[in-house]
Every structure is written in structure tokens, then in C-alpha cells.
Amino acid sequence: MKTIFTTTLMLALLLTISSCKKDRTINQPPQNKLKFAINVANLPTSTPANSNLTAIVSVKSSIGELVITDAKVNLNYSNGFLTDVLELPKGNYRITKLIIQDSNSNALFASPLAGSAKAQTVVQPLEMPLALENELTKILTIEVTAISDSDRSEDFGYAAGSFRLPPPDQNSDLFKVEIRPLFRVGEVVYDSIPASLRITTYGLNGTQAISTQVLPAGGKTITLSKNVSKYKIMVSKWGLSDEMEIPANEMKDMSLSIGGANLKPKKLKSESVYRYINGQWVADTRKEYEYFATGKLFRINYLSKDVNGNKVLDASEEFEYQNNRVSEIYFTSTSGDRTQYFSYLADGKIDKMREVNNEGTINATVSYAAIPGKRGITGNYQIGATYSFSYKYYQQHVFMDMYGGNAENYSNTTTHGNAKLSLISYDFNINPHAHLGVPNFWLNNVSKHNKLSDISNYSIIIPNVEAYAFSYTYDVDGFPTELFTKYRNPVTFADTHVTKTVFVYQ
């Protein structure tokens, strides 16, 4: 009996060991990898196609683990710059590093991380989400910013020493300075504006020479001699000025953003519109602005006059805030009421909108895309919004191209054929509406500067009149005090009337 038990036990152990061995040698089927590549959106158009550029790429998983660390891939030119294909298993990731290098591994361009000093130079800084879901090669568009000799990798949010920069030419008697005027009015940055430039040169023998010129919008690059003791560079605009000194030991190629101290924006108190009738200006409509004690806009009242000349309240808007941004707008008028709701992306741009009115509900989603070949502190990008109606069978789309903070190409179309396509020009002064801090449901108030002309084409629905030419009177701080607007028939182009708007500030 003992023998049988022992034999049975040994057989069982052998079977168990054999089974364990088989379990260890079973290979799991490999997980299929999906492909992606990076389209570098805004390398200068002058970059040669055969420049042997490479990209340094790092990627994190959805739980924050590095799955690609400093991968060096070729950057190929074919109607744009596209990296070689990279591979990862299906899943969600984030691009955490993108540095463009030349053939000597010198860093030329990089995409900044959110929160870094350079983050505002692109529309969407890193980290960039990457979702790999199917067999199609995913193309992810990412913006980069040029790296100057004075830039540090920390300015872009990277670890110290991440950039290898080309050595400067120590033998040259000349150096280049890229000067960009940058002025901040309240929370709005103006970096695509002309400004006055004054350069004071201090000679080696103690002499001084002063030269002045106008910096074009967006700035310019000047070439200076090293054979002096120092330079002082002053940039002025709107009564503000800023000065920087370049001593002899710092004379090398550099990029400077120079601007004055923060100019406090003026708060609108009222806008009164007059029509020119029988040789005189006759009061027509008026907007009055009210503010919370915090300075945030509380209410706008829309007024007109009755036949007896008495003031009549036609409509009003009231604003509610969450996290320091407008979350709801309540609009009340004699023709109907509506409430609008707004949510935002982390950088403050509008994400989604909803309107509830007497007819039903409108839902809108807003998207943003970089415009290749453009760079700036404020960014140059396209805004797109799609509106869906609970009470209409069609959708409505609004698109605009932003250049220097202004919507220059604007389109408002519907899926059943109605369209308005506009080409708009602007001056370089301050738009007071940009400083109210309130959104517009139809994205009509996104520009920093004031409109000079609006040339529009229409399909299906053509208005009776259109505003097409605008001229302003400004105060010394760059804020408008008067606006003259010319109207015309959009079919015959015959002028119909002129209005004057008078701006009053608190």
C-alpha cells in the first residue's frame, strides 16, 4: 500500500513539474505596433529641403512612463517637413520633447513645454496628446520656435544642457540683433505692432551717436559693429518705452523682445452712435457699461430713443464668472431672451459654447490649428467653430485666420449654402473691446486691433447694407475716441450712410 502511494505521489509531482515547465515556455502573441510621424508645422519656408535635419523626440505613456526617450529620427521634406515613422503599441501617449537639429547635432528649433518662458510663442505647447487607435499612420502637427544664441533649454521647459548650440564666429567684427517690440496692455500682449527705435552708440573714444528708425510690425534684425564700448537700445510706443544696454562683452547674435511697462487698459463707460442726417449728427443708439467692484464687466445696456427723444432700454447683457472667466451671459431684450454658456481650454481659449433661446438650443465646439510658417508671441492660428441647432436642419461654420492677433480672413457658412466670406484689414492701435474680457458666441470680437476695411462676398442671403470702411481718432495712449463707419449697398456698392461712434472711458 505504501509503495502504491509513493508511486502515485511521484507521478503527480512529475506531472506538476512538467505542467509548470510548459507554462513557463508559452510565448504570448506580440502586440501589434501602430505608426505615427510628426509634421513640423512652422519651419521657415527658407529652410532648404536638403538640409539634413533630424528631430529628437520623447514620448510618455498615459501613466507618465517614458516609452520613447530622445529618439533621433530624420526630418524629411515633401511639401513640408515630416519625421520618419515611429512605432508604439495601441494606446494614449503624450509627446514631451521635440528638438530639431542640424547635421552637426546643433539645436536649431524646439517645441516649448506649457508653462515655460517660450510657451506663448506657439498655439499649442507640449505636452501634445497622441492617440494611436488604428493601422493608419497618425500624423501629429507640432509647432516649433527658433533657438537663438541667448536661449537656454530651460526657457523651453527642458532640462539644462538639452540644447547643443553652434559656436559663434568669434572673429567677426559684426553681430546681429533681432528686435521685436512687445507691449502689454492689461492682459493682452501686443507684439506685432510698429514702434519707434532709438539706438545710442558709445564709441571707444567716448563719443556718442544717436540714430532713430521705425520698427515694422513684428520687429526687424539689425547689424551692429563690435568696435564700440556699448549700445543702448530704446523702443517706444503709446507713451511707453523700454531700454536695454549691450556692453562690449555681450556683443553677439541675439534676440530681444523690448517693451514698456504694463499699460493699464481704459474701461469703456459708453459708446454713442450718431447718424449723419441733413448736415448734422443725430443721436441714434447707445451702449452703457457697468462693472463689478473687482473691475470685471457686469452689464451692458443697449439704448435707443423713442419718437419724443426719450431714452429707451432695448436690451441688456449680464455676465457671470467662474475661475475668473465669463461662464454665462444672460441677454434680455424686447424681442426675446437667451442665455449663453462657455467652457475653456487650459490656456484660456474657448472650447465649447451653448445657447438656449426662445426657439431651442445651439451647441458649438471651437477648434484651433497652427498656420505654418508664422511665428509670434501671440501666435498665428486658425479658429474654427461648428454650430448645431435643435431647431434647424443644417449646421453653421465659422472660420478665421488669425495673423498678429487679428482675424483677417473670416468665413461664416451653413451646410445649406448660405455664406459670408470676408477679407479684413486692421490698424495697429488698441481695440477697447479686446480688453472687456468677455467672449462672443459668434466669435466676432477676437481681434486686438481696430478694423479699417471689411470686403465681403455673400451667397444666397445678401444684406441690404454693409459696413465696409472705418476710420478713427485716437488719444495719446492708443485708444479710440471716435469711429467713423461708412455703409454701402453690397450689390451696387453705392454708399448709403455714415455713422459716428463716440467712445467715453471711465
Side-chain angles (χ1 to χ4, degrees):
M1 190 74 175
K2 182 177 178 182
T3 305
I4 295 172
F5 175 78
T6 303
T7 304
T8 304
L9 180 60
M10 291 187 66
L11 285 169
L13 286 170
L14 285 169
L15 287 170
T16 302
I17 293 170
S18 176
S19 174
C20 289
K21 285 183 178 179
K22 287 181 180 179
D23 287 344
R24 289 194 191 101
T25 58
I26 292 175
N27 293 321
Q28 297 294 332
Q31 189 172 0
N32 291 335
K33 290 192 174 182
L34 303 179
K35 299 178 179 180
F36 71 96
I38 296 174
N39 170 44
V40 182
N42 60 334
L43 282 182
T45 53
S46 58
T47 304
N50 59 348
S51 50
N52 296 319
L53 299 178
T54 56
I56 304 299
V57 180
S58 292
V59 184
K60 283 183 180 178
S61 70
S62 58
I63 60 173
E65 293 181 350
L66 275 170
V67 291
I68 295 178
T69 304
D70 292 341
K72 188 172 184 178
V73 293
N74 292 325
L75 194 60
N76 310 298
Y77 182 83
S78 178
N79 196 28
F81 285 92
L82 190 70
T83 66
D84 282 348
V85 168
L86 293 157
E87 293 185 338
L88 282 171
K90 181 178 180 180
N92 295 311
Y93 304 91
R94 302 190 76 82
I95 308 294
T96 60
K97 180 186 286 187
L98 176 62
I99 300 173
I100 308 303
Q101 299 181 335
D102 63 16
S103 57
N104 296 317
S105 297
N106 297 314
L108 304 179
F109 304 88
S111 186
L113 288 159
S116 68
K118 294 284 187 176
Q120 287 186 308
T121 62
V122 296
V123 176
Q124 187 171 356
L126 301 181
E127 301 174 351
M128 182 78 73
L130 169 66
L132 297 179
E133 301 167 338
N134 53 48
E135 299 296 330
L136 296 175
T137 299
K138 180 91 170 189
I139 305 297
L140 196 65
T141 298
I142 300 180
E143 285 183 282
V144 293
T145 293
I147 301 170
S148 70
D149 291 342
S150 59
D151 286 333
R152 305 172 304 155
S153 54
E154 298 96 306
D155 297 333
F156 289 73
Y158 297 129
S162 297
F163 296 163
R164 174 183 168 184
L165 300 176
D169 183 1
Q170 302 293 345
N171 298 319
S172 175
D173 290 331
L174 303 173
F175 69 104
K176 294 181 179 180
V177 182
E178 180 188 17
I179 303 174
R180 169 173 287 170
L182 189 155
F183 292 85
R184 185 181 294 273
V185 180
E187 297 180 358
V188 181
V189 175
Y190 292 86
D191 73 317
S192 300
I193 55 174
S196 298
L197 172 65
R198 188 180 76 176
I199 301 174
T200 304
T201 304
Y202 295 79
L204 297 173
N205 58 358
T207 60
Q208 292 184 26
I210 296 176
S211 64
T212 60
Q213 57 182 287
V214 175
L215 281 175
K220 68 183 294 186
T221 298
I222 60 174
T223 301
L224 299 174
S225 171
K226 293 181 180 179
N227 297 319
V228 299
S229 62
K230 67 178 179 180
Y231 292 97
K232 283 187 178 179
I233 297 177
M234 176 182 285
V235 175
S236 304
K237 182 76 174 181
W238 298 324
L240 300 175
S241 62
D242 192 19
E243 187 176 67
M244 297 187 70
E245 185 174 294
I246 306 176
N249 62 343
E250 295 182 9
M251 291 181 186
K252 60 181 181 180
D253 292 353
M254 64 179 70
S255 179
L256 301 176
S257 292
I258 307 178
N262 193 343
L263 179 65
K264 185 178 180 180
K266 297 183 178 182
K267 293 185 179 300
L268 280 167
K269 181 178 180 181
S270 66
E271 291 178 56
S272 300
V273 179
Y274 301 81
R275 294 188 64 155
Y276 195 67
I277 301 174
N278 296 328
Q280 61 181 349
W281 292 106
V282 179
D284 187 19
T285 61
R286 180 182 176 91
K287 287 196 288 186
E288 295 179 347
Y289 297 84
E290 300 176 22
Y291 299 86
F292 290 104
T294 60
K296 295 288 187 184
L297 184 62
F298 165 56
R299 180 191 289 123
I300 303 176
N301 293 320
Y302 296 83
L303 308 166
S304 64
K305 287 189 175 183
D306 61 19
V307 293
N308 298 317
N310 299 313
K311 187 187 296 186
V312 177
L313 178 63
D314 296 319
S316 66
E317 285 181 286
E318 291 189 3
F319 304 90
E320 187 171 304
Y321 296 80
Q322 270 188 357
N323 299 321
N324 213 33
R325 298 187 181 114
V326 171
S327 57
E328 298 178 30
I329 300 177
Y330 306 100
F331 184 88
T332 304
S333 74
T334 54
S335 59
D337 302 337
R338 61 179 180 267
T339 303
Q340 296 170 343
Y341 305 86
F342 301 85
S343 63
Y344 300 84
L345 300 171
D347 62 0
K349 293 186 178 71
I350 297 173
D351 181 24
K352 290 181 171 56
M353 303 181 289
R354 180 165 63 95
E355 177 179 293
V356 179
N357 56 44
N358 295 339
E359 295 181 274
T361 302
I362 310 172
N363 288 296
T365 300
V366 187
S367 61
Y368 304 86
I371 299 177
K374 304 291 180 182
R375 291 194 300 116
I377 299 297
T378 55
N380 299 272
Y381 53 94
Q382 185 180 74
I383 304 176
T386 298
Y387 300 81
S388 300
F389 301 80
S390 66
Y391 52 95
K392 294 180 180 179
Y393 68 90
Y394 56 82
Q395 287 185 323
Q396 193 160 341
H397 302 282
V398 170
F399 291 98
M400 63 193 77
D401 291 332
M402 300 292 294
Y403 293 100
N406 297 312
E408 294 189 359
N409 300 312
Y410 176 89
S411 69
N412 190 330
T413 62
T414 66
T415 51
H416 74 316
N418 189 34
K420 177 185 178 182
L421 307 177
S422 302
L423 181 62
I424 307 170
S425 66
Y426 298 83
D427 64 14
F428 293 107
N429 284 301
I430 299 170
N431 177 359
H433 301 115
H435 297 273
L436 293 174
V438 298
N440 178 275
F441 193 76
W442 298 100
L443 305 179
N444 289 325
N445 65 343
V446 297
S447 297
K448 296 180 186 180
H449 300 295
N450 295 306
K451 190 184 297 187
L452 289 176
S453 65
D454 186 339
I455 308 302
S456 298
N457 292 308
Y458 303 89
S459 174
I460 299 181
I461 298 178
I462 302 176
N464 294 325
V465 295
E466 64 174 3
Y468 75 97
F470 312 83
S471 59
Y472 302 82
T473 302
Y474 288 98
D475 62 18
V476 294
D477 299 319
F479 286 83
T481 56
E482 290 183 333
L483 159 64
F484 296 88
T485 305
K486 296 177 70 174
Y487 294 80
R488 68 182 180 185
N489 183 306
V491 177
T492 65
F493 300 123
D495 285 349
T496 57
H497 64 283
V498 178
T499 63
K500 177 176 73 170
T501 303
V502 177
F503 299 90
V504 176
Y505 301 93
Q506 289 187 339

